Amino acid sequence: LQHKGYRNYLYARILISGARQMVAVAIGWQVYDLARETRSIEESAFLLGMIGLTMFLPVLTLSLYGGQVADRFNRKTILVIATVVRIGVMIGLLVSTYMATALALQTICCLAAVLGIVNAFFPAAAGALYPNLIPLKDLHQAIAWNSLGFQLAAITGPAIGGFLFIGGLALVYGVAATFASL
């Protein structure tokens, strides 16, 4: 694509999508590891599933409202707010790596719900910016590149998160926060 503004936007979306995937992997590992300190394998697996549900339910219930909000309010403002909240959540998750087990699990649950809310509003506002960034004749190409970028992030994000996990959860959350802030 010849439009620098769109290229920068695409790169930012890929990094944010990758960070989202990295954080999802890290949250799963963290919850399971923390739960295994005091619970059985079955209870730990159940908590892992509940954290996944905690991140998914806001997306399921609020995505339609996210579209309405993106149509009625300034999309750039929505994206900025969502990004700031996402970075705050990642910093909170980083801090949770230094908390006691019970407090860390409660914190992660709350932050996972907030992350789910962000994930309900961010895509609608981000997707609605295409027509504002590039000419209509290039829209089909932009959508194709965006789809490719999302798939790339969906595949490489968990892999990068898993690789960084070798260095610890704080490293994963720190890199994800950095990706989301670029």
Side-chain angles (χ1 to χ4, degrees):
L1 290 172
Q2 300 299 318
H3 307 283
K4 184 179 178 185
Y6 180 74
R7 280 197 310 266
N8 292 340
Y9 176 72
L10 178 63
Y11 298 147
R13 287 221 33 204
I14 291 170
L15 286 175
I16 288 171
S17 294
R20 178 181 175 184
Q21 298 296 325
M22 290 168 55
V23 167
V25 167
I27 288 174
W29 276 106
Q30 186 178 13
V31 166
Y32 188 77
D33 283 348
L34 289 171
R36 284 296 295 138
E37 291 177 10
T38 58
R39 293 174 173 84
S40 69
I41 291 174
E42 292 81 11
E43 291 171 324
S44 300
F46 179 75
L47 280 176
L48 178 59
M50 290 296 102
I51 288 295
L53 189 60
T54 301
M55 287 191 294
F56 172 71
L57 278 179
V59 175
L60 178 68
T61 59
L62 297 174
S63 288
L64 291 175
Y65 296 111
Q68 290 292 317
V69 169
D71 288 341
R72 295 173 192 255
F73 298 100
N74 186 316
R75 294 170 185 133
K76 290 179 185 177
T77 303
I78 296 167
L79 291 177
V80 168
I81 291 169
T83 300
V84 168
V85 171
R86 184 187 308 269
I87 292 168
V89 166
M90 291 176 190
I91 291 169
L93 289 167
L94 189 145
V95 170
S96 76
T97 64
Y98 302 103
M99 294 179 179
T101 300
L103 181 58
L105 285 171
Q106 293 171 356
T107 301
I108 294 166
C109 186
C110 291
L111 292 173
V114 172
L115 199 56
I117 293 168
V118 168
N119 292 337
F121 287 88
F122 187 90
L129 280 179
Y130 290 144
N132 298 335
L133 294 175
I134 58 171
L136 187 59
K137 67 180 179 69
D138 294 334
L139 187 60
H140 68 283
Q141 185 180 11
I143 291 171
W145 278 106
N146 184 64
S147 179
L148 178 65
F150 179 78
Q151 293 302 319
L152 179 69
I155 293 167
T156 60
I160 292 169
F163 179 74
L164 291 175
F165 186 74
I166 295 169
L169 280 166
L171 179 62
V172 178
Y173 293 138
V175 169
T178 302
F179 279 7
S181 66
L182 296 177

